[in-house]
Amino acid sequence: MTVTYTARVANAKFCGFSKLLLAWKGSIYKVLYKEFLAFFAMYTATSVTYRFFLDDDQKRYFEKLAIYCNHYASLIPMSFVLGFYVTLVVNRWWNQYTSIPLPDRLMCVLSGGLQGNDERGRLLRRTMMRYASLSALLILRSVSTAVFKRFPTMDHVVEAGFMTREERKKFEGLHSPYNKYWIPCVWFTNLAAVARCEGRIKDDHTLKLLLQELNGFRGKCSMLFHYDMISVPLVYTQVVTLAVYSFFLVCLIGRQFLDPGQGYPDHDLDLYVPIFTLLQFFFYAGWLKVAEQLINPFGEDDDDFETNWLIDRNFQVSMMAVDEMYGDLPMMERDRYWNDSNPRPPYTAATLFVLRKPSFQGSTFDMAIPKEEMHFQPLEDIAENLEESGTRHPNMALFNRLLHATPSPTGFMGGALRRTSAQLQRLYHSPSNDGCTSDDGCTSDDDEEDEEEKSCKIGKGGLEHCSSQPVISHPRAMPPIPKPPSAGNKMSLLTVPSSIEPQRFRSVSMGSEFTGS
């Protein structure tokens, strides 16, 4: 039986695994003690030979050999090789368990889909379920040594009741060089078609669902067969085994305690027993034993799958579900919480502490928010803020800081920016818009290179004033800019024709250009 210790580690506590270290069945001590004793005996024999049977010249040669072996033993990548190999084997081990065919889904669909409480209906359900169990038995008999020992021949299968003698003749009459575990599944489908013709399966949807469950059951049987046929590559297993064995053969010489009087580095103590070398052997060799136990879980090791128990359980449960339980329903009656809108099952004294815990409402249920941030804001203010944020260029604030940080106008960059600004003004001013004279507060093009960071700020009626700081206009909306009134100074705004660059804003200030969305 598989060693189960789940209940003993249900709760994490101080030294929770300590009691597990004393277990023998399925333990590392049981699978490793022979190799461990053999390694310790060989190490002891080597140490005794070095200490008592070698002369001085032979001892010096042995000591050089030991230092050499200890130095180069670390070149064998034990952790790397073993880690990948054991991970591969453990994943394969669990996938093989999930591939064991279980009849639970199939028996539920069969019990509810194939109607008929008479002898014919009962015979159909039991025969079809027996065919599914027979298919699982045949595949497990092909991959598991424990199941094969229980059913070594087809006579044992017939005698156990999984197959009749007539079915055996039909089975053996179908000649195929391959494993014939799939034949009972085909018999199942043929019986399902007969039941559909007889009207015991009411519609095609039920028949489709039944065949889908059967195909899933048969697919797991096929996966077990392929896992048995396709093993972990032999070269990988050989590399790992050779790495472990060669490492510890080298350690038999390299980990010997040498004569402290010779003054060799790291050989100041003579402890006789290599404690850490033995621990290293215990861990690495035990790791290899884990892979050896799990690489084929259909054997007879302590932690292998209980395939014979699975056969018994699946056959008994499936037959009960499609025969004795067919149409067998308990009397329906009102439950004890019939008139209770908030039913709560009772608790025992051992679980009463659950009631003291508050019900979970969500991770933000107890989050604190200041009262001044809880008030709703008027929709008019929200719309105005959204309009302003939508028309403002996202990089405008950053560019303002950059403009304030520009060098002095007497420098190279300042003069370049002013010249670029003047060129842009000449490009974007139409002939009718050149009315900005020195009388209105704006300098001429020839004098702009001598001014200090002046920009023209656009107002509603034209150019109002010039400042020594760069001014960037932030348009608030996309509609076309209205024409200036006829009275006063006639001045049109600096705009770009929409036919050339639609939805594009330009602000002429220090030679900079921005694009709005």
Side-chain angles (χ1 to χ4, degrees):
M1 189 67 178
T2 303
V3 179
T4 302
Y5 58 90
T6 308
R8 301 171 66 179
V9 294
N11 299 319
K13 53 187 177 181
F14 179 71
C15 295
F17 284 177
S18 299
K19 295 181 179 179
L20 299 180
L21 298 178
L22 303 178
W24 175 255
K25 185 178 181 180
S27 66
I28 187 63
Y29 320 117
K30 182 177 179 181
V31 299
L32 190 62
Y33 77 95
K34 295 180 181 180
E35 286 85 352
F36 185 83
L37 292 177
F39 176 77
F40 185 69
M42 288 188 292
Y43 182 91
T44 303
T46 306
S47 178
V48 170
T49 303
Y50 161 69
R51 295 173 186 274
F52 301 105
F53 295 98
L54 298 181
D55 55 26
D56 291 340
D57 293 337
Q58 292 173 341
K59 285 183 178 181
R60 301 294 86 81
Y61 181 81
F62 180 84
E63 290 164 357
K64 293 179 181 179
L65 181 62
I67 294 173
Y68 175 83
C69 292
N70 188 38
H71 177 72
Y72 288 100
S74 59
L75 297 180
I76 302 177
M78 292 290 296
S79 300
F80 178 79
V81 173
L82 272 174
F84 274 98
Y85 185 72
V86 174
T87 301
L88 172 65
V89 170
V90 170
N91 291 334
R92 176 185 171 89
W93 165 77
W94 182 249
N95 290 335
Q96 287 183 82
Y97 181 77
T98 56
S99 298
I100 295 177
L102 300 177
D104 298 65
R105 293 167 59 95
L106 182 60
M107 70 186 187
C108 291
V109 175
L110 183 60
S111 179
L114 202 154
Q115 305 297 322
N117 203 16
D118 55 348
E119 187 72 18
R120 174 68 175 174
R122 180 187 178 191
L123 180 62
L124 283 173
R125 287 190 299 273
R126 287 185 65 92
T127 303
M128 294 170 70
M129 201 68 246
R130 182 169 56 83
Y131 287 161
S133 300
L134 175 60
S135 181
L137 173 63
L138 293 178
I139 193 61
L140 289 174
R141 180 175 172 269
S142 301
V143 301
S144 174
T145 57
V147 177
F148 186 82
K149 288 181 179 180
R150 184 181 179 183
F151 305 99
T153 63
M154 294 302 295
D155 292 332
H156 293 81
V157 177
V158 174
E159 187 177 354
F162 287 90
M163 180 187 291
T164 64
R165 299 189 181 277
E166 186 65 28
E167 291 167 351
R168 180 189 174 184
K169 294 179 181 179
K170 181 73 69 174
F171 182 84
E172 294 178 347
L174 298 171
H175 300 287
S176 176
Y178 308 107
N179 194 316
K180 297 188 291 186
Y181 68 90
W182 48 270
I183 289 180
C185 293
V186 178
W187 292 345
F188 185 103
T189 58
N190 294 338
L191 277 183
V194 171
R196 178 70 182 99
C197 294
E198 294 180 358
R200 296 183 181 274
I201 297 178
K202 298 301 183 181
D203 50 52
D204 293 335
H205 294 289
T206 305
L207 177 63
K208 178 182 178 182
L209 179 60
L210 182 61
L211 295 182
Q212 284 179 345
E213 293 299 331
L214 175 67
N215 284 328
F217 187 86
R218 186 213 57 80
K220 289 190 173 183
C221 295
S222 178
M223 284 302 299
L224 284 185
F225 180 76
H226 289 292
Y227 271 119
D228 185 63
M229 181 177 62
I230 307 298
S231 303
V232 176
L234 180 61
V235 291
Y236 199 2
T237 304
Q238 289 175 340
V239 165
V240 175
T241 306
L242 288 175
V244 174
Y245 288 169
S246 60
F247 176 79
F248 287 108
L249 285 176
V250 172
C251 288
L252 289 176
I253 300 175
R255 300 296 176 85
Q256 292 289 335
F257 289 100
L258 304 181
D259 185 5
Q262 300 299 320
Y264 296 115
D266 300 329
H267 287 278
D268 300 331
L269 296 177
D270 191 3
L271 300 180
Y272 296 96
V273 179
I275 298 175
F276 289 99
T277 301
L278 294 178
L279 288 177
Q280 198 173 24
F281 178 85
F282 190 82
F283 297 146
Y284 283 157
W287 213 354
L288 183 64
K289 281 294 180 180
V290 170
E292 184 180 334
Q293 290 263 312
L294 301 183
I295 194 169
N296 182 15
F298 294 102
E300 297 179 273
D301 296 325
D302 289 337
D303 281 313
D304 285 343
F305 301 149
E306 296 292 335
T307 49
N308 283 317
W309 176 85
L310 285 172
I311 290 173
D312 296 339
R313 180 262 174 196
N314 294 339
F315 189 69
Q316 192 272 333
V317 168
S318 60
M319 285 301 181
M320 178 184 292
V322 299
D323 188 9
E324 296 180 15
M325 294 186 63
Y326 176 77
D328 184 16
L329 292 173
M331 181 183 299
M332 290 190 299
E333 58 183 35
R334 295 182 178 181
D335 57 84
R336 60 180 300 178
Y337 305 106
W338 182 263
N339 296 320
D340 191 355
S341 61
N342 185 24
R344 296 195 67 179
Y347 288 85
T348 61
T351 58
L352 193 60
F353 68 93
V354 178
L355 294 176
R356 300 188 181 97
K357 296 182 179 180
S359 177
F360 181 74
Q361 301 292 333
S363 58
T364 63
F365 184 73
D366 297 328
M367 189 175 68
I369 302 177
K371 289 186 178 180
E372 58 271 12
E373 297 182 4
M374 294 184 181
H375 301 291
F376 289 113
Q377 301 297 315
L379 295 179
E380 294 80 5
D381 297 344
I382 297 175
E384 184 177 356
N385 293 333
L386 291 177
E387 183 181 359
E388 291 181 357
S389 62
T391 57
R392 187 179 297 111
H393 195 277
N395 295 328
M396 189 68 69
L398 176 61
F399 199 82
N400 281 333
R401 293 196 297 269
L402 293 176
L403 285 180
H404 285 291
T406 54
S408 173
T410 58
F412 173 77
M413 291 300 296
L417 289 174
R418 289 197 309 276
R419 287 192 295 272
T420 305
S421 176
Q423 293 173 1
L424 288 175
Q425 288 182 4
R426 287 195 297 270
L427 288 174
Y428 296 145
H429 278 68
S430 61
S432 61
N433 293 338
D434 293 338
C436 181
T437 62
S438 60
D439 296 335
D440 297 320
C442 295
T443 60
S444 62
D445 296 338
D446 297 335
D447 298 335
E448 284 186 359
E449 296 183 1
D450 298 333
E451 294 293 332
E452 294 185 357
E453 301 179 0
K454 291 185 178 181
S455 61
C456 296
K457 183 176 181 181
I458 301 175
K460 294 183 179 179
L463 303 176
E464 294 180 354
H465 67 279
C466 296
S467 62
S468 60
Q469 298 293 335
V471 179
I472 300 176
S473 60
H474 300 281
R476 293 184 56 181
M478 294 292 295
I481 302 175
K483 297 181 179 180
S486 58
N489 297 329
K490 296 182 179 181
M491 179 62 61
S492 60
L493 300 178
L494 305 178
T495 59
V496 179
S498 60
S499 61
I500 300 176
E501 295 182 27
Q503 297 182 359
R504 190 175 179 88
F505 296 93
R506 294 180 183 269
S507 176
V508 181
S509 176
M510 298 295 292
S512 59
E513 175 180 337
F514 302 95
T515 303
S517 57

